[in-house]
Amino acid sequence: MKPTNKPKNPCFSSGPCAKRPGWTLEALKDAAVGRSHRSKLGKAKLADAINRSKKILGMPADYICGIVPASDTGAIEMAMWSMLGERPVDVLCWESFGSGWAGDCKNQLKLKDLRVLKADYGKISDLAQADWSHDVVFTWNGTTSGVKVPNGDWIPSERQGLALCDATSAVFAMEIPWSKLDVVTWSWQKVLGGEAAHGMLALSPRAVQRLEGYSPDRPLPKIFQMTKGGKLMGGIFEGETINTPSMLAVEDALDGLKWAESVGGLRGLISRSEANLACIDEWVAKSNWAAFLAEDKAIRSSTSICLKITDPAYLALPAEAQAKHAKTIGSTLEKEGVAFDIGSYRDAPAGLRIWGGATVETSDVAALLPWLDWAYEQVKATF
Ligand SMILES: Cc1ncc(COP(=O)(O)O)c(C=O)c1O
């Protein structure tokens, strides 16, 4: 039976993610458009975005946080290019983005002393293999596989190397053990549903020490430079951005942060995301055709919730047909206005990916699930 109840908001994309409930363009009415980002007003807004982020995330007082160019990619790349090479590097990866960082370490940074600890989609690298006399690069949540690290217990408090963590689809939805991490990056368009453009870069005192004490033998473009004459350019971490930000995007980020405060801060955001996963978990438990790509609950993401199709009739099809049918589920639901952008990532195994970050209402997830069953039945009828 075709369901009748549709999600109020059909946006389930894993980035850019759904705007917060109730968002309209009105939220941007106080944006400092047409004003210099170096004006008193502009700088105050940039500093406000930094300070609210630090507060909501419970960042230690001695950590610094800045707004940097080029989204999460810009933030993690500027950290890798500025800091790596001083000691051996381990990259842990289990999906596309982590593999991308590993590839850049090898082919662009040309790091000689590099180990890549890889796992398949749905699994996680053997975290015990990380050597903490090395620098260690990893993603907290693999957005394309729906696999997250279970916690920070595998990271020693006393470590010689730095922990560089791309946490873009984790911050504001998962507990982040700050003292275990030296570099943490994210963007605005994920859990708080902001606009894309800028990256956030948080640094521990040891990361700052590395920046001031090590100068890699490689050219660094201006947008990666964080030191001058061997000293940290502290202004970057107080709202003096390296280059011009979008004040419209800044206003939107502030709106997201204020909304985050209104739903109970970090605890509220985490509960919202976990409720979304729980809702899908209940459905998966009864499903005769879908399962989580991440079989182990401890590493299952509550933000990028990835599903695989387990129906034997589907699995008997050739890989190309499987991919085509999985895509058709997404396009069928898009046509119905029920769900946008729920196909799995282009490099990931065929299946579905439903964003369960804090801006997604659990009632919308619940409304989507019967539609998944309906769409699968439609597609199966064409096998
Ligand atoms: C884990 C991870 N890293 C990096 C990126 C790239 O982020 P951005 O587009 O913000 O640079 C994404 C985007 O989805 C991601 O999920």
Side-chain angles (χ1 to χ4, degrees), residues 8 16 24 43 46 56 71 123 131 157 164 217 231 291 308-309 329 351 354:
K8 281 203 181 71
T24 67
K43 263 185 68 176
L46 289 157
I56 295 170
S71 208
K123 306 263 189 303
D131 180 339
S157 298
L164 289 86
D217 183 21
K231 276 276 157 229
K308 60 184 175 185
I309 301 171
I329 299 175
I354 299 159

Side-chain angles (χ1 to χ4, degrees), residues 314-364:
Y314 171 88
L315 294 176
L317 300 170
E320 255 174 42
Q322 290 188 16
K324 188 187 94 183
H325 289 306
K327 272 199 185 125
T328 308
I329 299 175
S331 58
T332 303
L333 293 176
E334 186 156 339
K335 264 189 234 133
E336 294 285 342
V338 164
F340 298 148
D341 315 317
I342 61 164
S344 60
Y345 188 72
R346 57 178 188 248
D347 301 334
L352 300 170
R353 180 174 58 160
I354 299 159
W355 183 252
T359 54
V360 173
E361 298 276 35
T362 306
S363 53
D364 284 344

Side-chain angles (χ1 to χ4, degrees), residues 14 70-73 97 101 139 141 143 166 168-169 187 189-190:
S14 293
S71 208
D72 178 66
T73 307
F97 287 102
W101 312 145
T139 49
N141 182 75
T143 321
D166 165 5
T168 195
S169 52
S187 70
Q189 70 273 18
K190 292 276 198 245

Side-chain angles (χ1 to χ4, degrees), residues 105 109-114:
C105 283
L109 294 172
K110 301 195 189 302
L111 297 176
K112 298 269 178 313
D113 229 334
L114 172 71

Side-chain angles (χ1 to χ4, degrees), residues 191-210:
V191 175
L192 298 187
E195 287 304 291
H198 308 300
M200 297 299 284
L201 174 68
L203 302 178
S204 73
R206 291 181 61 243
V208 174
Q209 250 175 31
R210 171 69 61 82

Side-chain angles (χ1 to χ4, degrees), residues 14 72 92-98 101 123-124 138-150 154 165-171 173-176 181 185 190-191 273 277 294 298-306 353-357:
S14 293
D72 178 66
L92 278 57
C93 52
W94 50 90
E95 50 85 61
S96 309
F97 287 102
W101 312 145
K123 306 263 189 303
I124 197 162
F138 64 99
T139 49
W140 193 273
N141 182 75
T143 321
T144 66
S145 68
V147 169
K148 61 165 189 172
V149 293
W154 56 288
C165 178
D166 165 5
T168 195
S169 52
V171 280
M174 296 173 195
E175 211 63 68
I176 301 290
L181 304 173
T185 67
K190 292 276 198 245
V191 175
S273 181
L277 175 61
I299 58 165
R300 193 176 294 153
S301 171
S302 65
T303 56
S304 55
I305 302 167
C306 294
R353 180 174 58 160
I354 299 159
W355 183 252

